[in-house]
Amino acid sequence: MTDQDWTVTNLRRAIAQRDIAAKTVCETFLDRAEAAQDQLNVFTVILREEALAQATEIDEHLDEWRDRPLLGVPVTIKDVLCTQGAATTGASRILAGFDPPYDATVVTRLREAGAVIIGKTNCDEFAMGSSTEHSAYGATRNPWNVERVPGGSSGGAAAAVAARLAPVSIGSDTGGSIRQPAAFCGIVGLKPTYGRVSRYGLLAFASSLDQIGPMTLTVADAAAVFQCLACQDPQDATTVSRPVDDIATALPGNADGTRIGVPRSILDGQSGVDDEARQAFETSLSTLEQLGAKVIDIELPHLQYAIPAYYLVAPAEASSNLARYDGVRYGFRAPNDTGDDGLDAMYNRTRDLGFGSEVKRRIMLGTYALSAGYYDAYYRKAQQIRSLIAADYEQAFAQVDVVAMPTTPAPAFRVGEKVDDPLTMYLGDIFTVSANLTGLPAINLPGGLTRDRLPLGFQLMARPFDEATLLSVGDAYEREAPWWRERPSGL
Amino acid sequence: MAKIATLAHLDLTPEEIDRFTGQLAQILEYAECLQEVDTSGISDTWRSPTDRASLRPDEPRATLTNEQAVGNAPVPAVRGLFRVPKVIGS
């Protein structure tokens, strides 16, 4: 087995058969992670001792562990997910040093599945951003070109997989935060249906939009990890009782006869898709047509309003969720606080010093959108638009099985290019936010490289709880267009 | 902007207020396009794909210990209680 074949499926089989020790696998990835840290800044913490102890436990008691679906597979966890015994900060100063007294449900499930957690990954503060530049730990760099951003907010998670520092990362996606960095880094990223994966232990950003999902090299790997994550959780009342599909039966994938909807009018309109991204998208569609899929034009008339609706709903929910960070119960309290000027002054000073600029901007925007006199014009209107967008998709899915779009209008932008221009940064989320506004599942597939060898993403969306179709069509596509085998130069 | 900052419990600097005023105005101007959509009669309650009856039995069960609950306090807890600036008689 060469390093190139260190996918989840291959690793678990090799470890189960004692072809390779879990500890050897773990050490290899830990060594790479540590070596890459100066250049890429992928991790907020690398958990060498804990990871090696867990890998050794698996090797020494292999008979007890052998049947676990992620046996000995190294995994990274985005720093917005609680991990007992490892600091969880949301890449924010305001949670500096927070040591969660419990694991997030997805973390518990990964541990039970035999995965080995090797570190926490960097992200935009509280998952707010599209570049992983808004982090208290500094910016993460794109392994394909260190002058470029890895995307965000799960930028460290995407960079880790792309740079082969881990075969699996767990990210969160509120407006594209799994799929956009997956696109910028040339990997697979799955945002499951709202309600399919528990958010217990996720630092809440926008509770009606947040989802957790896998980021991997291949579709089969994403399927294996998704199968472990999906469940009904008594700790998260939004999770559903509906049984989880047996994804293994959807693989190997098949796109023969699949009806693929393409919203041509938004692609040709003001979405700002650049020439190379458009060309790669058309090539991906042709690949699927060669596999027997049928491409159909669809209309999503309200999709053009998705960004303004999203950037009112998400900050409104964030302003409410982030009210809990007040310097009393956890994290950071403003220094030199004598308490002489009262509780409110302590709150206000703590929050101004503890939050970064993007988070403060969104709290301000959200507070405004919810405030008396503006609620109807902004928040209520945005929620109504959300219903209209959901109805558009419902109509589309009466005619097609999946909807295809580029994941982003262009490849990764330069570090610093948009950091002071929030609106331009937001406009890049045109193709990702509607999956969150509607709760629909969506996947990024590596969909090509630009002339400058920057990855481009191909996105598919499906009906609620139809991850099986996304993974099946995605797997069929990947076999014809194995872009995941390309890797950043210098690796 | 100062009023919003007060509502949001943010002690913004004058420089931040200045910067956010411009940026928020730009974002809200962009969001004006929503007003062109006729939403009369449209629900403002998004119906998620999740079912409604995901309630668990209301039974007593173990929760965090007091030590765990106050263990992350930025100012060390006293007798199991969080410490805050004086709020009574000030």
Side-chain angles (χ1 to χ4, degrees):
Chain A
M1 187 166 69
T2 68
D3 171 288
Q4 178 76 330
D5 300 315
W6 278 21
T7 59
V8 170
T9 323
N10 289 346
L11 278 173
R12 81 159 302 285
R13 189 187 307 125
I15 292 168
Q17 294 171 352
R18 289 202 191 275
D19 290 343
I20 191 166
K23 189 176 173 213
T24 307
V25 171
C26 186
E27 255 172 345
T28 304
F29 283 109
L30 283 168
D31 289 349
R32 287 184 197 167
E34 282 167 0
Q37 190 59 5
D38 276 354
Q39 194 181 25
L40 299 178
N41 194 31
V42 162
F43 291 90
T44 58
V45 59
I46 296 174
L47 302 165
R48 176 174 277 273
E49 270 178 45
E50 298 87 334
L52 288 176
Q54 180 57 23
T56 304
E57 154 68 25
I58 288 169
D59 287 330
E60 287 178 357
H61 302 100
L62 189 60
D63 287 342
E64 290 162 39
W65 286 93
R66 185 168 310 197
D67 295 336
R68 310 295 173 97
L70 300 179
L71 178 72
V73 174
V75 171
T76 76
I77 305 290
K78 186 178 179 181
D79 198 35
V80 291
L81 284 159
C82 286
T83 43
Q84 195 167 10
T88 298
T89 69
S92 179
R93 187 179 180 201
I94 209 159
L95 263 184
F98 175 61
D99 179 12
Y102 61 93
D103 275 335
T105 295
V106 293
V107 172
T108 304
R109 292 182 71 82
L110 289 165
R111 293 192 204 275
E112 284 170 356
V116 175
I117 294 169
I118 64 165
K120 305 289 295 280
T121 56
N122 199 15
C123 53
D124 288 295
E125 184 178 1
F126 288 114
M128 296 182 201
S130 310
S131 64
T132 315
E133 292 169 292
H134 298 290
S135 162
Y137 296 89
T140 294
R141 303 292 176 135
N142 190 319
W144 290 85
N145 180 337
V146 294
E147 302 302 313
R148 304 274 172 159
V149 302
S153 65
S154 311
V161 174
R164 274 63 171 177
L165 312 181
V168 176
S169 287
I170 302 300
S172 67
D173 189 316
T174 303
S177 281
I178 286 175
R179 293 159 287 150
Q180 183 256 25
F184 281 7
C185 290
I187 65 164
V188 175
L190 173 69
K191 183 204 89 78
T193 311
Y194 187 83
R196 186 71 286 177
V197 174
S198 167
R199 290 96 46 85
Y200 178 68
L202 170 71
L203 305 181
F205 159 13
S207 305
S208 78
L209 305 163
D210 296 338
Q211 255 302 298
I212 296 167
M215 305 169 77
T216 56
L217 285 176
T218 68
V219 173
D221 284 2
V225 180
F226 168 72
Q227 192 83 63
C228 293
L229 299 182
C231 71
Q232 184 181 24
D233 181 8
Q235 306 275 34
D236 177 354
T238 64
T239 54
V240 295
S241 57
R242 178 192 173 104
V244 180
D245 290 340
D246 182 4
I247 300 295
T249 62
L251 302 178
N254 185 1
D256 192 17
T258 304
R259 296 166 301 167
I260 299 175
V262 178
R264 286 282 169 203
S265 54
I266 191 95
L267 283 170
D268 298 338
Q270 296 171 336
S271 59
V273 182
D274 79 12
D275 288 346
E276 283 190 286
R278 179 177 297 267
Q279 206 178 350
F281 177 68
E282 299 299 342
T283 304
S284 297
L285 288 179
S286 303
T287 301
L288 284 167
E289 282 182 313
Q290 284 158 23
L291 291 168
K294 191 168 178 235
V295 174
I296 298 166
D297 281 5
I298 55 163
E299 291 295 328
L300 296 169
H302 298 94
L303 190 61
Q304 59 177 309
Y305 302 108
I307 290 183
Y310 175 84
Y311 278 100
L312 292 169
V313 172
E317 293 188 22
S319 70
S320 174
N321 271 325
L322 270 57
R324 73 192 64 180
Y325 302 108
D326 58 7
V328 174
R329 290 158 295 165
Y330 26 64
F332 161 86
R333 182 181 292 187
N336 305 319
D337 179 50
T338 60
D340 290 349
D341 51 359
L343 191 59
D344 273 355
M346 187 280 284
Y347 290 157
N348 299 358
R349 213 164 39 238
T350 294
R351 288 164 59 82
D352 189 51
L353 293 171
F355 290 131
S357 63
E358 181 62 25
V359 169
K360 284 190 266 192
R361 187 154 44 237
R362 295 202 196 190
I363 290 174
M364 291 291 287
L365 182 56
T367 305
Y368 181 82
L370 288 175
S371 62
Y374 300 98
Y375 175 89
D376 280 343
Y378 292 113
Y379 184 75
R380 186 175 137 85
K381 190 80 180 179
Q383 285 287 66
Q384 289 173 316
I385 303 277
R386 190 175 182 180
S387 297
L388 290 170
I389 294 170
D392 285 354
Y393 275 105
E394 211 174 309
Q395 266 187 321
F397 281 121
Q399 319 163 43
V400 299
D401 304 304
V402 293
V403 169
M405 286 182 252
T407 307
T408 61
F413 47 89
R414 286 185 178 75
V415 174
E417 188 179 327
K418 299 184 181 178
V419 77
D420 292 319
D421 188 356
L423 183 57
T424 305
M425 182 97 84
Y426 300 168
L427 294 178
D429 298 340
I430 172 94
F431 298 121
T432 51
V433 294
S434 67
N436 303 82
L437 288 170
T438 57
L440 296 172
I443 194 168
N444 175 72
L445 303 165
L449 291 174
T450 66
R451 281 185 294 278
D452 297 334
R453 284 187 68 77
L454 291 172
L456 291 163
F458 179 61
Q459 180 180 229
L460 297 174
M461 295 170 67
R463 298 183 187 96
F465 304 105
D466 197 8
E467 285 85 2
T469 295
L470 284 185
L471 293 162
S472 175
V473 176
D475 182 65
Y477 170 80
E478 181 185 272
R479 283 162 200 275
E480 281 303 299
W483 289 106
W484 71 276
R485 289 196 173 274
E486 297 285 333
R487 49 169 63 202
S489 52
L491 284 184
Chain B
M1 197 54 58
K3 186 183 154 208
I4 299 294
T6 306
L7 287 172
H9 277 299
L10 286 170
D11 190 14
L12 299 181
T13 63
E15 186 273 329
E16 284 177 317
I17 290 193
D18 198 43
R19 184 154 43 94
F20 289 159
T21 303
Q23 289 173 339
L24 262 54
Q26 199 190 5
I27 295 164
L28 291 168
E29 191 190 319
Y30 172 68
E32 275 305 305
C33 67
L34 295 182
Q35 306 307 325
E36 72 195 39
V37 184
D38 179 7
T39 53
S40 45
I42 303 296
S43 167
D44 59 0
T45 309
W46 172 65
R47 221 180 79 248
S48 85
T50 69
D51 50 15
R52 292 302 168 112
S54 292
L55 299 177
R56 61 176 156 77
D58 186 18
E59 290 162 357
R61 57 197 175 119
T63 181
L64 297 182
T65 63
N66 177 269
E67 199 181 335
Q68 286 175 316
V70 300
N72 274 290
V75 176
V78 177
R79 295 192 298 275
L81 303 171
F82 292 113
R83 294 176 68 184
V84 294
K86 191 175 173 184
V87 287
I88 299 169
S90 55

